[in-house]
Amino acid sequence: MKHLTKIVFAALLAIGGLQLTTSCTDYQDEIDSLDKRVTALEELVNRLNQNIKGISDLLNATENGWVITGIVEVSPKDDPKGIGYYTITFGKMDPKTGKLSEKSEDKKAITIYNGEDGIDAPKPEIKVKKGDDGYYYWYVGDNPVLDPETKLPVPANGKDGEPGKDGKSTAPTLDINDDGYWIVIYGDSWDYIYGPDGKPVSATGKPGKDAEPIIKGVTIRVDTSGNRYAEFDLGGGQIVVVPLVD
């Protein structure tokens, strides 16, 4: 989080220039307030990147042989931080026994944050949209995330996976640059995240419209053979279906 650290230093220098006319108490209050804000932004960046990885895992689950073994939803009112999230556990079936594998490498869990975070700054809205080729692609707001080399949309599920191996499409990473603007990083390159007005989104500016929850809802369904599935509604008609095994 080196970018945010530089922002702190710049802000502290600005505050330091006022110390001749500001009491020590006010000066310390400013520092404490700034420190809390930077900490909150660091946590927000971490949550957004965790969401990106979680959605990627969710989209790749069926293709990579994973099944869902449990879903726990915690609402914002039940979350001490007031955010709300889903914790989703996965497992793999043992082909020899037809049951869930007990191997540690065949188990994993993801957490996808899904509520308000109370940070009064513009936040990028992470989405996935299904393309005509059947694959999902990353979007920030209404803008697709582009590979800086090919200038093509970045896939969110395992488009690049080899047969018999988990898909290895690279997820983008979000950060805040030295000037306090949201950026998206893919590979060794980065670009600004742009708002509806076509301008880079500032992480220190006025709050924008609250982003929609990344998961709109989860429905458990049973087919005619008794097999259970979890349907994740990602909005805009994007439904992800993953087998559910108790």
Side-chain angles (χ1 to χ4, degrees), residues 85-157:
Y85 56 88
Y86 286 91
T87 295
I88 305 165
T89 52
F90 294 88
K92 281 190 174 182
M93 304 299 291
D94 186 330
K96 295 181 179 179
T97 65
K99 298 180 180 179
L100 284 170
S101 171
E102 293 298 325
K103 297 179 181 179
S104 58
E105 63 266 29
D106 291 338
K107 300 178 183 180
K108 65 178 177 179
I110 62 173
T111 296
I112 299 177
Y113 293 95
N114 211 47
E116 299 302 325
D117 49 43
I119 297 177
D120 58 345
K123 297 176 280 290
E125 185 176 22
I126 307 303
K127 299 179 181 179
V128 291
K129 292 184 180 181
K130 198 170 188 178
D132 294 336
D133 57 2
Y135 289 98
Y136 289 88
Y137 293 88
W138 291 110
Y139 278 72
V140 177
D142 295 324
N143 301 319
V145 177
L146 302 180
D147 184 315
E149 294 183 0
T150 65
K151 304 303 180 185
L152 297 174
V154 174
N157 52 342

Side-chain angles (χ1 to χ4, degrees), residues 188-241:
D188 296 326
S189 302
W190 66 271
D191 194 6
Y192 289 103
I193 292 176
Y194 297 95
D197 58 0
K199 297 180 180 180
V201 176
S202 171
T204 59
K206 295 180 179 180
K209 180 182 177 182
D210 289 334
E212 293 290 327
I214 197 166
I215 295 179
K216 305 296 187 296
V218 181
T219 303
I220 307 301
R221 300 195 184 280
V222 182
D223 65 17
T224 54
S225 299
N227 299 311
R228 302 175 72 215
Y229 298 87
E231 289 187 355
F232 294 85
D233 182 358
L234 303 183
Q238 314 295 312
I239 302 294
V240 178
V241 181

